[in-house]
Amino acid sequence: MTAGKVLGSILAVLLVLRLLYAAVGKAAPTIGKRADRLAGNPFGRALLRIAAAHTWLVGLRTVLRRHRVGRVLLWAAGMRARARVVRQMRDGLTGVRFENNAGKLPRIRKVRTTPVGERMTLVCKPGQSAELLDTRAEELRAAAKSRDVRIVRDPNRSDLVTVDVVRRDPLAATSAIRWDGLDHDALSMWDPVHIGMDENGDPVRLSMVERQIFLAGEPGSGKSSGEQVITCHAAKSPDAELLFIDPNRVQFAPWADRATAYAYADPDDALEVLNMVRAEGDRRLALLEKLPGVQRKLTREIAEGEGIPLWVLFIDELAYHTSVIGTTNGPFAKAARDIVSRFRAAGIIPVFATQRPTSDVVPTSLRDLFSMRTAYRTTTLASSDVILGEGWARQGYSATDIDLANRGVSWLLAEGALPRRVKWAWIDDETISDLSMTTVRFKPRRDPVPTPATDDTEQEG
């Protein structure tokens, strides 16, 4: 056998192994669930070994990224990939005739490897802009042979454009994210909430103080899991009170004993809970007005000194009360808008969820008030923009690209930054059941608030 044939055979074997490795990496979660069945035959055991190697390499990459020497090694390993993406981008810009009148293309200033692919910085020449480049995003994505291309203009220099070439979805191969709140006996609502992990493998924590969060996406995309993460953190916080409006009757049912107020689908009961929140918010604002000095908001020091807990208001399926049994201009919608707009400084934290918050379902005047939004999978680009804001889908931040099988993944837009792709932590039903009982001791002692009567109690009456 000649040396050429030997080399060709080796390259063919390496190519097959690379394709198998990539396929196994995508199927790693499914393989892990069927480990017992696969272990019974040689082929299955080989798949398990490859899956284990894939998991080990992903973990090794995360470890190397934490150290300077490791980052240097990863940079050296990605030189070939960076050179390839530069060539592809130049070919793509040439193919779409993006030269200016002087015949010059944007200068590629910097390229670096990211967990999702590559990121490059372009310097536009006169006659070129991020907006013009954005109109060619589809052609550039095809030229780069990638999953997606995200184009963002630098806020300080309009000639600098950041282009993210997305080649893989690291969140698809990750198993369920463990919520680190389980490691603590008690938490504080004043501290950031651990919600999950982003594309870079870094934990994501959100401060809910003086914030409102809106969760939306199609059914089965993971909204309920996201709500439960925030609920569990609030329930384990002695300095927080929980209030629920749950038209489905089962989403927050385990937390009824921990709740300060709880309403089901009855519109009068739901409005009573909102009015209760408004009355408490007015009382707190009046207290801040009477305190010495200038007090513009409820701080942790004032709350501890005056014994004022943070109130977390959860509303699931918001559209039920604003479009099914109510209207977008009805008393419920007006009360909800009043709470979101006025009581941020009073320690009231709204957490609302629905499916598709279009203007005929959720008032635009209410939806646009939320400082944090998370878009789970949607079926159309318009639906994604309705949640995150106009124009994000065109820049590559689209919830339509989220795989429905990968529940709990969403685009998170928080505090004016760029959207981040996040996989929310998973808390199983058994843990929720345990926490709903063990956290009752954190509920403030006060006269019980009447909860809506169930069908059984009505029949008994």
Side-chain angles (χ1 to χ4, degrees), residues 189 208 230-231 234 240-244 277 309-314 347-351:
M189 204 62 203
M208 304 297 296
I230 302 174
T231 304
E241 294 191 30
L242 285 66
L243 304 94
F244 298 102
V277 175
L310 293 172
W311 275 26
V312 189
L313 173 63
F314 294 89
I348 308 297
I349 304 173
V351 181

Side-chain angles (χ1 to χ4, degrees), residues 106-278:
R107 179 168 61 89
I108 299 178
R109 181 178 185 180
K110 182 172 58 176
V111 180
R112 68 181 181 89
T113 305
T114 65
V116 299
E118 297 85 27
R119 170 173 291 182
M120 65 178 62
T121 302
L122 303 182
V123 181
C124 293
K125 303 295 183 180
Q128 300 167 348
S129 66
E131 289 73 17
L132 289 176
L133 190 63
D134 189 53
T135 61
R136 300 294 189 178
E138 292 297 326
E139 291 89 339
L140 293 178
R141 178 168 62 176
K145 301 178 181 179
S146 61
R147 290 168 53 98
D148 201 1
V149 171
R150 303 170 190 161
I151 301 171
V152 180
R153 179 176 62 85
D154 188 289
N156 299 317
R157 286 186 54 181
S158 58
D159 63 324
L160 295 183
V161 181
T162 300
V163 180
D164 282 311
V165 180
V166 182
R167 300 190 181 278
R168 50 190 168 271
D169 182 6
L171 297 179
T174 57
S175 55
I177 308 300
R178 185 178 184 275
W179 181 55
D180 67 2
L182 298 174
D183 300 329
H184 306 278
D185 180 63
L187 301 170
S188 174
M189 204 62 203
W190 291 94
D191 296 331
V193 179
H194 173 244
I195 67 167
M197 182 182 73
D198 65 9
E199 289 180 322
N200 299 322
D202 299 324
V204 179
R205 304 179 190 278
L206 291 180
S207 175
M208 304 297 296
V209 181
E210 294 188 73
R211 300 288 187 272
Q212 317 94 350
I213 187 168
F214 192 69
L215 302 91
E218 67 179 59
S221 58
K223 296 188 303 296
S224 299
S225 300
E227 290 178 285
Q228 291 297 339
V229 170
I230 302 174
T231 304
C232 288
H233 184 103
K236 295 189 73 172
S237 303
D239 51 15
E241 294 191 30
L242 285 66
L243 304 94
F244 298 102
I245 298 177
D246 182 13
N248 287 337
R249 305 177 67 93
V250 295
Q251 177 62 33
F252 298 117
W255 304 103
D257 293 333
R258 175 65 174 89
T260 298
Y262 199 111
Y264 295 117
D266 186 271
D268 295 331
D269 293 334
L271 188 59
E272 183 180 351
V273 172
L274 295 187
N275 289 332
M276 176 182 175
V277 175
R278 297 170 75 186

Side-chain angles (χ1 to χ4, degrees), residues 96-113:
V96 298
R97 298 180 180 179
F98 200 72
E99 302 93 342
N100 62 3
N101 291 335
K104 294 183 178 181
L105 292 171
R107 179 168 61 89
I108 299 178
R109 181 178 185 180
K110 182 172 58 176
V111 180
R112 68 181 181 89
T113 305

Side-chain angles (χ1 to χ4, degrees), residues 374-396:
T374 181
Y376 293 85
R377 175 177 166 79
T378 61
T379 54
T380 63
L381 296 176
S383 297
S384 181
D385 272 350
V386 163
I387 302 169
L388 294 177
E390 184 67 29
W392 285 116
R394 188 177 64 252
Q395 297 182 42

Side-chain angles (χ1 to χ4, degrees), residues 250-327:
V250 295
Q251 177 62 33
F252 298 117
W255 304 103
D257 293 333
R258 175 65 174 89
T260 298
Y262 199 111
Y264 295 117
D266 186 271
D268 295 331
D269 293 334
L271 188 59
E272 183 180 351
V273 172
L274 295 187
N275 289 332
M276 176 182 175
V277 175
R278 297 170 75 186
E280 176 66 13
D282 287 329
R283 184 187 72 83
R284 295 183 179 193
L285 293 178
L287 174 64
L288 292 175
E289 184 182 12
K290 295 178 181 178
L291 291 177
V294 179
Q295 307 296 341
R296 301 184 183 277
K297 61 182 179 181
L298 182 69
T299 63
R300 191 168 192 166
E301 292 74 17
I302 296 176
E304 292 175 353
E306 300 291 335
I308 303 176
L310 293 172
W311 275 26
V312 189
L313 173 63
F314 294 89
I315 301 181
D316 189 40
E317 298 301 339
L318 175 65
Y320 177 81
H321 286 288
T322 58
S323 64
V324 178
I325 62 172
T327 64

